[in-house]
Amino acid sequence: MTSSTKRRVSYFYNPEVGNFHFGPNHPMKPHRLSLTHNLILNYGLYKKMSVYKSREANLYDLKQFHSEDYIDFLSRVSPSTLHLWQEASLSRFNVGDDCPIFDGLYDFCKIYSGGSIEAAAKINGDLADIAVNWSGGLHHARKDEASGFCFINDIVLAILELLKYHPRVLYIDIDVHHGDAVQEAFYITDRVMTVSFHKYGDSFFPGTGEVSEIGDKKGKYYSVNVPLLDGIDDQTYTSIFKPVIQKTIEFYRPSAIVLQCGADSLACDRLGCFNLSIKGHGECVSYVKSFGLPTLVLGGGGYTVKNVARCWTYETSLLLDTDISNDLPFNDYFEYFGPDFQLHPDIVARFDNQNSKQYVDDIKMRVLENLRSLQHAPSVQMDRLPPDLSYFELQQEQEDEEEEEKIDVRIISGAKTDDREYYEDEFDNDRDT
Ligand code: V1D
Ligand code: CA
């Protein structure tokens, strides 16, 4: 498939998501999602994609990754009852300054997670080539604790959904922070390969993501880390992003991709220290798209609200192969975008580029060396699919064979078998327990 082929894009959004507040002085502002959606609408991009109001995740969904104790805690804690909880519970679940208990926290979690799971299901049903949930991408949440502004890990939940149909899922993370909890969730499996590009060093949060973290057991070589230094610019970033992703896809041959597009890797981010322009960030999204694989696109960090909205709107236009004007259309939040009112304002570098050619070449060499080891890992060779048969076709063949066998069994045993006990279809939205 060439990069110019138009894809069927499904877009998930719940208008409630922007109304939650982490509290005064907290950098995470869900309001950025309202700005993004409104800009997307006012550019007319909704006409070119299927727009869905995403449903909320339910308890059954959340339990696919998170512990019951932790979900129970999230569902019951609130600012007004916080004093009734033992300090031990609050510290056990790691809530506090980074992950504050705010009004509607559990609803917020269900809303952003529901969008990612539904988007993954849309890809599974082959009803979309690309599915987008800018409200998702919260890559730090662990099985039983909150971390780095993240409470529920919608990415892990979405990948688990994709794994029902896809043999190998590639996760790519361009947030300035390390995608630690997604890596950790799949560290010992070869069914998911994680690749994170991030700032590493100077105790930058979360402090993990060295090149030497490569996975373990069956997952050895299936975790890839690209630690970068302050001030990286577009040219330097893409000079390492493209070869690493190209070789990863060549060696791993994923049947689906999940792309976390944290916008805190942009220049001028309130928490970040990179120097990417919106075009440079978008080039990574376009590059991933150019492989023509089913792709789930998610948000993530991003703390300079107006730039988050610009970035994710621009990236929506790239996913739709639609050029949009540099002059912003009038929109409900127009005043946020002054004084330039442009999609691609001039960027002022706040950090010198510390990533010398020698540093980048060395990291690239070590990452590519690990990828070559993956090529020789036995499980990939054993799983090799015939090049002209897609996973879906292969699965269909297998299902047909199983169906024939099942009919034989039914004839022999006289048992009545309902297909729905075995396979979820794309219309199966009922997750109630
Ligand atoms: F600046 C702050 C003001 C108020 C509350 C928190 C912060 C803040 C800034 N940076 N917190 C951080 C990071 N936490 C720490 C820990 C505090 N300890 C002593 C260390 O440095 C957390 C940064 C989280 C980044 C989240 C993310 O961008 O990766 C993200 N991705 O998807 C959703 C969020
Ligand atoms: Ca990252």
Side-chain angles (χ1 to χ4, degrees):
M1 190 172 294
T2 65
S3 55
S4 63
T5 310
K6 296 241 191 234
R7 311 284 155 67
R8 295 166 300 158
V9 179
S10 286
Y11 168 92
F12 292 84
Y13 179 71
N14 183 320
E16 296 296 316
V17 77
N19 299 333
F20 297 91
H21 299 268
F22 277 59
N25 305 321
H26 198 288
M28 177 56 101
K29 313 250 179 247
H31 184 52
R32 67 203 177 124
L33 301 166
S34 307
L35 265 76
T36 305
H37 180 69
N38 198 261
L39 201 50
I40 287 171
L41 291 186
N42 281 289
Y43 265 117
L45 293 172
Y46 64 91
K47 294 176 201 154
K48 307 212 166 191
M49 56 189 180
S50 304
V51 177
Y52 297 93
K53 179 183 171 189
S54 53
R55 67 168 180 85
E56 293 181 15
N58 61 31
L59 184 60
Y60 173 84
D61 296 322
L62 303 182
K63 279 199 311 197
Q64 299 307 305
F65 175 56
H66 294 283
S67 72
E68 224 159 321
D69 277 5
Y70 177 50
I71 301 168
D72 184 58
F73 168 77
L74 288 180
S75 68
R76 293 196 295 126
V77 71
S78 72
S80 56
T81 61
L82 200 52
H83 64 284
L84 301 173
W85 291 86
Q86 303 247 329
E87 183 51 42
S89 292
L90 305 180
S91 88
R92 173 178 160 209
F93 297 124
N94 196 29
V95 295
D97 291 347
D98 271 2
C99 304
I101 301 301
F102 55 87
D103 275 327
L105 166 62
Y106 190 53
D107 291 329
F108 175 67
C109 291
K110 289 189 292 181
I111 289 171
Y112 76 75
S113 301
S116 300
I117 299 167
E118 225 181 344
K122 194 61 83 182
I123 285 176
N124 277 349
D126 193 24
L127 297 168
D129 304 308
I130 296 171
V132 183
N133 176 28
W134 292 126
S135 308
L138 280 74
H139 56 175
H140 299 304
R142 299 218 162 76
K143 177 186 163 77
D144 45 19
E145 68 177 69
S147 173
F149 317 163
C150 306
F151 296 87
I152 290 290
N153 200 317
D154 62 295
I155 307 174
V156 172
L157 295 174
I159 292 175
L160 290 173
E161 182 71 30
L162 289 171
L163 288 174
K164 291 180 183 171
Y165 285 77
H166 288 273
R168 287 181 297 281
V169 175
L170 171 63
Y171 172 68
I172 304 169
D173 186 315
I174 60 171
D175 191 288
V176 73
H177 299 93
H178 178 223
D180 57 349
V182 182
Q183 171 179 295
E184 190 182 290
F186 300 110
Y187 207 62
I188 57 166
T189 179
D190 55 7
R191 297 266 326 265
V192 179
M193 180 147 185
T194 61
V195 185
S196 178
F197 298 79
H198 45 266
K199 149 84 182 182
Y200 181 80
D202 312 321
S203 308
F204 194 73
F205 187 87
T208 49
E210 277 194 272
V211 185
S212 57
E213 291 171 27
I214 56 170
D216 201 7
K217 301 187 178 149
K218 263 200 119 178
K220 190 168 175 188
Y221 302 119
Y222 295 89
S223 292
V224 174
N225 283 291
V226 185
L228 300 165
L229 308 175
D230 286 357
I232 193 161
D233 57 20
D234 293 347
Q235 191 277 326
T236 317
Y237 195 91
T238 52
S239 80
I240 191 158
F241 182 84
K242 289 183 178 179
V244 166
I245 294 305
Q246 195 242 316
K247 286 290 173 204
T248 301
I249 292 179
E250 183 182 323
F251 291 154
Y252 187 57
R253 294 169 297 103
S255 58
I257 299 180
V258 176
L259 176 60
Q260 196 266 20
C261 298
D264 47 8
S265 40
L266 292 175
C268 304
D269 185 79
R270 185 175 154 193
L271 297 191
C273 51
F274 285 177
N275 199 22
L276 296 186
S277 71
I278 289 169
K279 284 191 177 150
H281 199 273
E283 200 174 327
C284 299
V285 175
S286 288
Y287 188 68
V288 172
K289 175 176 175 277
S290 74
F291 291 89
L293 290 162
T295 302
L296 170 59
V297 179
L298 302 173
Y303 306 98
T304 301
V305 166
K306 58 186 177 180
N307 291 341
V308 176
R310 287 174 161 123
C311 180
W312 291 345
T313 300
Y314 174 62
E315 288 170 356
T316 306
S317 80
L318 294 176
L319 297 170
L320 292 166
D321 292 303
T322 298
D323 289 333
I324 55 175
S325 167
N326 190 32
D327 296 324
L328 293 176
F330 188 69
N331 64 83
D332 292 356
Y333 306 97
F334 200 59
E335 69 279 9
Y336 281 68
F337 300 100
D340 50 274
F341 304 103
Q342 305 232 303
L343 185 60
H344 301 285
D346 291 336
I347 54 162
V348 186
R350 276 195 302 147
F351 295 87
D352 286 338
N353 188 357
Q354 303 283 326
N355 302 269
S356 64
K357 181 163 170 10
Q358 195 188 346
Y359 176 80
V360 173
D361 284 349
D362 177 60
I363 296 287
K364 202 189 312 183
M365 193 191 69
R366 290 164 65 192
V367 168
L368 296 181
E369 217 168 83
N370 289 336
L371 285 172
R372 277 192 290 276
S373 305
L374 179 145
Q375 191 183 19
H376 301 114
S379 52
V380 168
Q381 288 173 346
M382 283 186 326
D383 287 350
R384 193 165 283 278
L385 300 176
D388 55 347
L389 211 53
S390 75
Y391 178 66
F392 297 107
E393 289 165 322
L394 199 70
Q395 198 194 32
Q396 190 59 55
E397 273 195 355
Q398 222 169 318
E399 284 176 8
D400 291 347
E401 277 168 25
E402 279 168 14
E403 189 58 29
E404 275 169 31
E405 279 167 25
K406 229 179 338 177
I407 290 164
D408 292 340
V409 171
R410 267 180 264 165
I411 292 166
I412 295 162
S413 68
K416 188 170 176 286
T417 313
D418 185 339
D419 277 354
R420 282 167 301 181
E421 290 170 19
Y422 293 86
Y423 309 112
E424 272 189 316
D425 66 28
E426 66 266 35
F427 306 110
D428 182 3
N429 282 329
D430 181 5
R431 289 154 191 287
D432 287 340
T433 46

